[in-house]
């Protein structure tokens, strides 16, 4: 019995308490809370867990702060980089606009140049047509002029100039090099066009001079007859055995054969001469005159303008003559020439 009492007493002693007193006012009785001492171990454990959690949360918050600082720094760097990109884009847009304007100017110049070359080619065709309408009467001709139309590639690829990915100085340099090459090519073509223009100016002048010259040139014989006496020294046909200089050619024909002008010109003399008989003289210009002698009759008057092949007289044997024929002379600056040298047989 005594032992049971002691054990009960010991158990009661072990159940000790912690007392907490709360005083809300000095005039009021305090409030107390008794906490058994055995609860200290769970409390310590809870406090430890809470402290550990607080420490973990603090560490996490520190990491978040560091990450936030790094992200903020990165955002600042990206903002600066974006500003730089924007400035570069604006610079490239300005450069691209300037280069586009330069390219547009070059292409406009190219179109004008091609139009000039086409005009020159058409001019050459017109001149050739003009020349083809006139009968060529002499080998005296224009210089051969060849025009090579330079083809310019308008489809050349410059699309990178307006490409959104042109943001490198290398690409812009490539554009500048291509543009410079194109400008150099155009400069060379313009020089060629200038030469062609000067050539055509000279050609026009030559044509203006040459066509009338071809028309006036005495390139045919006045009649289709046998040559009975050539140009140069010959035995006197009237006897005596002497020699005389024959200043033309004699063409034997029947009476009243139509005598034709051998080139375009102006009749400067018609009349009778005791040696030449009925005589016609035509001035062809360029220092060239022709004479048609011993005609039976004359069909033109002084001052008349005649064309090559136009009938000017009828053949006969008037004046100092041994029979019906046409005495035909060509004179250059009043010096007798061999009429056969003026005949044009074609190319």
């Amino acid at each position: 019995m005594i032992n049971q009492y002691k054990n009960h007493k010991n158990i009661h002693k072990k159940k000790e308490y912690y007392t907490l007193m709360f005083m809300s006012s000095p005039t009021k009785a305090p409030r107390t809370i008794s906490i058994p001492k055995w609860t200290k171990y769970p409390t310590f454990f809870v406090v430890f867990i809470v402290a550990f959690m607080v420490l973990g949360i603090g560490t996490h918050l520190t990491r978040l702060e560091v990450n936030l600082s790094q992200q903020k720094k990165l955002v600042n760097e990206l903002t600066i980089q974006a500003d730089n990109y924007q400035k570069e884009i604006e610079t490239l847009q300005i450069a691209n606009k300037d280069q586009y304007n330069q390219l547009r100017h070059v292409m406009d110049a190219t179109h004008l140049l091609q139009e000039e070359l086409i005009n020159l080619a058409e001019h050459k065709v017109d001149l050739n047509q003009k020349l083809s309408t006139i009968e060529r009467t002499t080998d005296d001709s224009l210089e051969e002029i060849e025009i090579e139309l330079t083809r310019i590639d308008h489809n050349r690829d410059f699309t990178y100039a307006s490409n959104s990915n042109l943001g490198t100085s290398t690409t812009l340099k490539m554009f500048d090099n291509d543009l410079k090459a194109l400008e150099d090519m155009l400069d060379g073509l313009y020089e060629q066009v200038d030469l062609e223009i000067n050539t055509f100016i000279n050609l026009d002048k030559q044509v203006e001079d040459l066509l009338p010259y071809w028309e006036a040139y005495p390139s045919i014989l006045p009649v289709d007859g046998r040559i009975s006496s050539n140009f140069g020294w010959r035995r006197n046909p009237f006897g005596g055995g002497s020699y005389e200089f024959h200043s033309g050619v004699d063409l034997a024909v029947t009476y009243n054969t139509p005598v034709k002008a051998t080139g375009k010109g102006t009749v400067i003399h018609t009349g009778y001469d005791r040696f030449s008989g009925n005589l016609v003289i035509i001035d062809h210009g360029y220092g060239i005159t022709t004479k048609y002698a011993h005609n039976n009759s004359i069909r033109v008057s002084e001052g008349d303008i005649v064309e090559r092949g136009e009938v000017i007289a009828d053949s006969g044997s008037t004046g100092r003559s041994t029979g019906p024929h046409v005495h035909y002379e060509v004179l250059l600056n009043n010096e007798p020439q061999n009429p056969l040298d003026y005949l044009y047989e074609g190319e």
Side-chain angles (χ1 to χ4, degrees):
M1 185 70 179
I2 294 173
N3 291 334
Q4 290 178 351
Y5 174 79
K6 288 182 178 180
N7 291 335
H8 178 76
K9 186 177 180 179
N10 290 336
I11 292 172
H12 183 74
K13 286 183 179 179
K14 289 180 181 181
K15 293 182 180 180
E16 295 178 350
Y17 294 86
Y18 291 104
T19 301
L20 301 176
M21 299 180 67
F22 298 93
M23 299 181 67
S24 60
S25 172
T27 59
K28 293 182 179 181
R31 296 178 63 182
T32 62
I33 298 175
S34 296
I35 302 174
K37 288 186 177 181
W38 62 268
T39 62
K40 65 180 180 181
Y41 298 107
T43 302
F44 288 156
F45 178 76
V46 170
V47 170
F48 175 77
I49 294 300
V50 171
F52 181 78
M53 292 176 65
V54 170
L55 180 61
I57 292 172
T59 302
H60 182 67
L61 290 175
T62 301
R63 290 177 180 174
L64 290 177
E65 185 178 359
V66 172
N67 290 337
L68 181 62
S69 176
Q70 292 176 347
Q71 290 178 359
K72 184 177 180 180
K73 181 179 178 181
L74 179 61
V75 168
N76 290 335
E77 291 176 353
L78 291 176
T79 300
I80 294 174
Q81 188 175 6
D83 291 339
N84 292 335
Y85 283 156
Q86 181 63 32
K87 292 178 181 178
E88 184 176 357
I89 289 173
E90 292 174 355
T91 301
L92 292 174
Q93 287 176 339
I94 294 173
N96 192 31
K97 183 178 180 180
D98 291 341
Q99 290 175 336
Y100 173 80
N101 291 333
Q102 293 174 3
L103 181 60
R104 182 73 266 166
H105 174 73
V106 169
M107 297 308 292
D108 289 342
T110 299
H111 294 151
L112 292 176
L113 181 61
Q114 272 200 327
E115 290 177 2
E116 285 294 329
L117 291 173
I118 292 173
N119 290 336
L120 286 173
E122 291 177 348
H123 193 177
K124 182 186 178 184
V125 171
D126 291 340
L127 286 175
N128 287 337
Q129 290 178 346
K130 184 184 292 185
L131 292 172
S132 66
T133 61
I134 303 298
E135 180 185 0
R136 185 169 180 173
T137 58
T138 173
D139 288 328
D140 296 340
S141 61
L142 304 176
E143 295 180 1
E144 293 297 330
I145 299 175
E146 294 296 333
I147 299 176
E148 179 181 355
L149 288 179
T150 304
R151 300 299 179 184
I152 299 176
D153 184 8
H154 293 280
N155 297 319
R156 191 171 185 178
D157 186 11
F158 286 101
T159 54
Y160 62 81
S162 59
N163 194 317
S164 59
N165 193 29
L166 59 77
T168 63
S169 59
T170 302
T171 305
L172 296 177
K173 186 176 181 181
M174 290 171 59
F175 179 92
D176 291 337
N177 292 338
D178 284 346
L179 190 62
K180 180 64 168 57
L182 186 58
E183 289 175 341
D184 291 342
M185 180 181 69
L186 286 176
D187 289 341
L189 293 179
Y190 272 116
E191 290 180 2
Q192 177 185 350
V193 169
D194 288 340
L195 290 175
E196 296 293 351
I197 289 175
N198 292 332
T199 299
F200 271 108
I201 290 175
N202 294 330
L203 182 60
D204 279 331
K205 185 177 184 305
Q206 290 182 53
V207 168
E208 292 300 321
D209 292 339
L210 184 64
L211 295 184
Y213 178 68
W214 279 3
E215 291 178 335
Y217 195 82
S219 59
I220 63 174
L221 292 174
V223 291
D224 184 14
R226 176 180 59 85
I227 298 177
S228 57
S229 182
N230 282 305
F231 174 84
W233 290 97
R234 68 175 183 178
R235 188 181 296 274
N236 192 329
F238 297 98
S242 61
Y243 285 84
E244 64 177 5
F245 184 79
H246 190 222
S247 57
V249 293
D250 290 340
L251 301 168
V253 290
T254 60
Y255 280 102
N256 295 321
T257 298
V259 179
K260 301 176 182 178
T262 57
K264 182 177 180 179
T266 303
V267 178
I268 60 173
H269 175 80
T270 59
Y272 182 83
D273 181 279
R274 68 188 185 91
F275 292 103
S276 300
N278 291 322
L279 174 65
V280 176
I281 301 177
I282 299 176
D283 183 3
H284 301 274
Y286 310 100
I288 301 173
T289 55
T290 53
K291 293 182 178 181
Y292 312 80
H294 309 299
N295 298 294
N296 188 41
S297 61
I298 297 174
R299 300 195 189 186
V300 293
S301 302
E302 292 180 5
D304 288 349
I305 296 176
V306 295
E307 302 290 338
R308 178 184 296 108
E310 184 176 342
V311 177
I312 58 173
D314 298 303
S315 64
S317 185
T318 58
R320 189 167 179 257
S321 173
T322 60
H325 72 285
V326 176
H327 173 80
Y328 172 60
E329 292 186 20
V330 175
L331 298 96
L332 179 62
N333 298 324
N334 294 321
E335 292 293 330
Q337 308 293 312
N338 187 347
L340 300 182
D341 291 340
Y342 282 74
L343 298 182
Y344 181 67
E345 298 178 355
E347 297 179 348

